[in-house]
Amino acid sequence: GGTIKQHISVKAEFHATKVWKDDDTPAEQRPATTVTLWRYPITDDQHSIDSMYKDNHAAQVIYRKTIGNDEYENPIYQDVLLSYQLSNATEEAIVFNESTVPALPDNFELPTFDEHGRRYVYFVRETVDSDYYETVYSGENDEGAPDNGTITNVRREKAAVKVTKVWQCPTN
């Protein structure tokens, strides 16, 4: 008797959209934004992006690139984080491939399943270098945009508001 191991290999894809809601502020006046791809495997007890991220069950997606061999012909690897800076166009597609992350190979594919056969859920998080924009993710998510989701940056003005409270009560 022998053991047969079957490896599931299906290409996963991830697409999202980035939108700015800031009264058409010119792109050069918008803050730098960086998107990073994250994932987690679906388990028996289904979880949301928010709970998986907050409970540290989600991880940034890293591609292990072979960059050469050592003196004993063992491969030397470099880990490439799937992350890149956006152009700040009013609307922009978010994809992770060799044109957005140049260290990736031309034939790069996102795995659909982990080593235990559990399907991955991918989502994207954004870092914005500004206090004047709020990042809003599509759906019911506070921590990331799902596949085919949207990241919206909404401009908010910081303003100090002076408030004076005046008590008015009838005199006895």
Side-chain angles (χ1 to χ4, degrees), residues 10-12 39 61 108-114 120 122:
V10 178
K11 178 183 176 184
R39 71 180 176 205
V61 179
F108 174 74
E109 295 181 355
L110 290 171
T112 302
F113 300 95
D114 71 3
Y120 280 124
Y122 288 92

Side-chain angles (χ1 to χ4, degrees), residues 83-104:
S83 180
Y84 69 97
Q85 187 167 340
L86 296 175
S87 71
N88 291 347
T90 300
E91 185 167 327
E92 182 173 357
I94 298 172
V95 294
F96 292 88
N97 58 32
E98 63 280 357
S99 64
T100 58
V101 184
L104 294 176

Side-chain angles (χ1 to χ4, degrees), residues 37 39 59-64 78-82 108:
L37 190 62
R39 71 180 176 205
Q60 294 177 333
V61 179
I62 295 176
Y63 168 71
R64 178 157 276 188
Q78 174 187 15
D79 288 340
V80 177
L81 180 65
L82 270 68
F108 174 74

Side-chain angles (χ1 to χ4, degrees), residues 19 26 28-29 35 49 60 65 99 102 110 122 151 155:
V19 177
E28 63 273 5
Q29 293 178 9
V35 290
I49 288 172
Q60 294 177 333
K65 178 180 179 179
S99 64
L110 290 171
Y122 288 92
I151 299 173
R155 184 171 176 83

Side-chain angles (χ1 to χ4, degrees), residues 13-59:
E13 294 186 2
F14 182 88
H15 304 285
T17 303
K18 166 62 183 258
V19 177
W20 292 87
K21 291 199 177 181
D22 58 359
D23 298 323
D24 295 322
T25 298
E28 63 273 5
Q29 293 178 9
R30 291 177 174 148
T33 60
T34 302
V35 290
T36 304
L37 190 62
W38 290 70
R39 71 180 176 205
Y40 63 89
I42 295 176
T43 58
D44 292 337
D45 46 340
Q46 181 70 13
H47 296 286
S48 68
I49 288 172
D50 291 347
S51 67
M52 295 302 280
Y53 177 78
K54 289 175 184 172
D55 293 342
N56 295 316
H57 294 295

